[in-house]
Amino acid sequence: MTIEATIIGAGLGGLTLARVLHVHSIPVTVYEAEASPMARTQGGMLDIHDYNGQLAVRAAGLTEEFGGLVLEGRQAVRILDREGNVLLDQDDDGTGGRPEVQRGELRRMLLDALPAGTVRWGHKADGVRSLGDGSHEVTFADGTTTVTDLLIGADGAWSRVRPLLSDATPAYAGMSFVETYLFDAETRHPAAAKAVGGGSMFALAPGDRQIGAHREKGETLHTYVMLTKPLDWFDGVDFTDPAAATARVAAEFDGWAPELTALITDSDTAPVLRPHHTLPVGHRWDRVPGVTLVGDAAHLIPPNGEGANLAMLDGAELGEALAAHPGDVEAALAAYEATMFPRSAKAAEEESAILDNPSPEDVVSFFSRND
């Protein structure tokens, strides 16, 4: 008997899984809350690593297509102190194992590699319940339902599928990003463009704040202002008033070099708050027939460059496990989870130190060992 997989969520993890299942001729349907692929912007740059994300791309049979998305030169890294002094300046010599791509283009690559109709847009999962025989019913916001013998939650931090497996809920990680954009940076914001360089830039000082930026396609600078503050601090910032919010965030960087604070004050877009949440390190669950999780739904951690890579590898390995165990879904899910649990726990543990108010020297050391 052929079982059709039901995936909740058309992010990178869910779409990688869908593509690998398609490669192995396993029927699959993906349900996504967003109304269309273009319903919202898909975030900024992603470095796709040769030890996890690129393995998923290979399993999906999309290595050539992926190569066409890579932005040359974006693996360059600059580390600055608050005065703008350069502590580390690594060029992209083309030999690194973490090429940069735009998240939206990577998602589009995966969508284009699926048969038409695989993704059902505008289907927001409202609830999921077990039917007691290994099957599960998903109820959508429009009142429709679907029943499946193989349910995969790829629906992110606030997963509707996770409660079938675990009582864990995301907790605030103590850190938030405020995102800004500078467009036409070489001509309109040359000092900031020079500070960022050709790839990624991290400006740090000992304490609870950093400024990170990526050079995206063309002359776009995408900035992540990192503040270790409680949520109620951000509640006191009126993000409905862009000028006031920008001024309040910029005040946290009083005395920093103007080419760095310009990444905040000269933004061509309103600042956007991105609070970060996390599941417990080592989050796992007992095997429940017919259901599992991938990506942030399974192992949400603060942003550290691994999240998208882990989600894609989860999807690829789950797809390959299902292909390797035809007719035995439980064996496939058990094999997948046995590998996924320790991998995600290790990633969270290894990266936690660099995210815990690192000094500039810590970050220089991190990138020096990962060049």
Side-chain angles (χ1 to χ4, degrees):
M1 179 181 67
T2 300
I3 293 181
E4 179 173 348
T6 297
I7 301 171
I8 306 300
L12 296 178
L15 292 176
T16 301
L17 170 58
R19 167 62 185 179
V20 173
L21 292 175
H22 174 63
V23 166
H24 291 283
S25 301
I26 298 173
V28 56
T29 301
V30 182
Y31 292 93
E32 169 54 45
E34 293 175 1
S36 74
M38 305 305 294
R40 66 178 178 89
T41 58
Q42 294 297 313
M45 300 264 287
L46 293 174
D47 50 326
I48 303 301
H49 306 150
D50 53 11
Y51 54 86
N52 46 27
Q54 290 181 50
L55 300 181
V57 171
R58 189 175 308 133
L62 296 171
T63 299
E64 183 177 350
E65 291 84 349
F66 174 79
L69 303 182
V70 171
L71 296 176
E72 299 299 330
R74 297 309 197 275
Q75 289 187 69
V77 175
R78 288 167 61 83
I79 311 293
L80 309 181
D81 65 16
R82 57 179 287 168
E83 286 81 31
N85 299 311
V86 178
L87 306 179
L88 178 72
D89 193 352
Q90 289 182 348
D91 289 331
D92 180 2
D93 63 3
T95 64
R98 46 181 185 84
E100 298 271 359
V101 299
Q102 299 276 163
R103 179 188 284 268
E105 293 185 358
L106 185 61
R107 189 192 196 209
R108 170 53 62 187
M109 178 192 79
L110 292 165
L111 285 168
D112 288 346
L114 295 172
T118 298
V119 179
R120 308 283 179 85
W121 301 97
H123 282 72
K124 178 179 173 59
D126 245 8
V128 183
R129 67 185 182 102
S130 172
L131 299 181
D133 58 356
S135 63
H136 297 87
E137 180 185 71
V138 182
T139 301
F140 300 101
D142 64 1
T144 61
T145 63
T146 189
V147 174
T148 179
D149 292 320
L150 175 54
L151 176 65
I152 300 101
D155 48 344
W158 308 103
S159 172
R160 294 290 190 174
V161 179
R162 188 191 301 122
L164 292 172
L165 298 163
S166 168
D167 293 332
T169 56
Y172 180 54
M175 176 185 70
S176 296
F177 285 179
V178 177
E179 288 186 66
T180 65
Y181 282 89
L182 271 62
F183 304 128
D184 303 317
E186 295 294 340
T187 52
R188 297 177 57 237
H189 310 283
K194 182 179 178 181
V196 173
S200 300
M201 182 279 293
F202 302 89
L204 309 104
D208 59 358
R209 65 210 67 196
Q210 306 172 31
I211 299 175
H214 284 148
R215 181 179 292 271
E216 296 190 352
K217 265 194 168 180
E219 298 182 18
T220 296
L221 302 181
H222 185 182
T223 300
Y224 305 85
V225 182
M226 298 170 254
L227 292 170
T228 303
K229 301 280 190 182
L231 283 174
D232 58 11
W233 187 91
F234 293 100
D235 290 341
V237 180
D238 184 5
F239 282 93
T240 66
D241 183 338
T246 297
R248 182 65 188 89
V249 172
E252 294 298 304
F253 297 86
D254 184 45
W256 286 50
E259 64 269 26
L260 299 176
T261 57
L263 292 164
I264 307 169
T265 59
D266 292 356
S267 178
D268 292 311
T269 60
V272 176
L273 176 63
R274 306 286 189 194
H276 294 298
H277 294 76
T278 183
L279 288 168
V281 173
H283 176 238
R284 60 171 56 219
W285 53 86
D286 294 330
R287 177 90 293 283
V288 173
V291 59
T292 194
L293 306 172
V294 301
D296 285 350
H299 44 71
L300 178 68
I301 58 177
N304 62 359
E306 293 291 349
N309 285 278
L310 290 174
M312 292 175 67
L313 188 57
D314 286 352
E317 290 194 345
L318 176 54
E320 291 186 324
L322 288 163
H325 296 84
D328 194 345
V329 167
E330 285 310 298
L333 299 187
Y336 157 69
E337 291 174 355
T339 299
M340 181 269 291
F341 287 146
R343 176 177 64 233
S344 58
K346 182 172 184 288
E349 291 165 357
E350 286 182 346
E351 301 299 328
S352 61
I354 199 66
L355 293 170
D356 187 16
N357 291 333
S359 69
E361 293 76 20
D362 291 332
V363 180
V364 169
S365 175
F366 174 80
F367 280 100
S368 296
R369 67 181 171 84
N370 285 282
D371 59 10

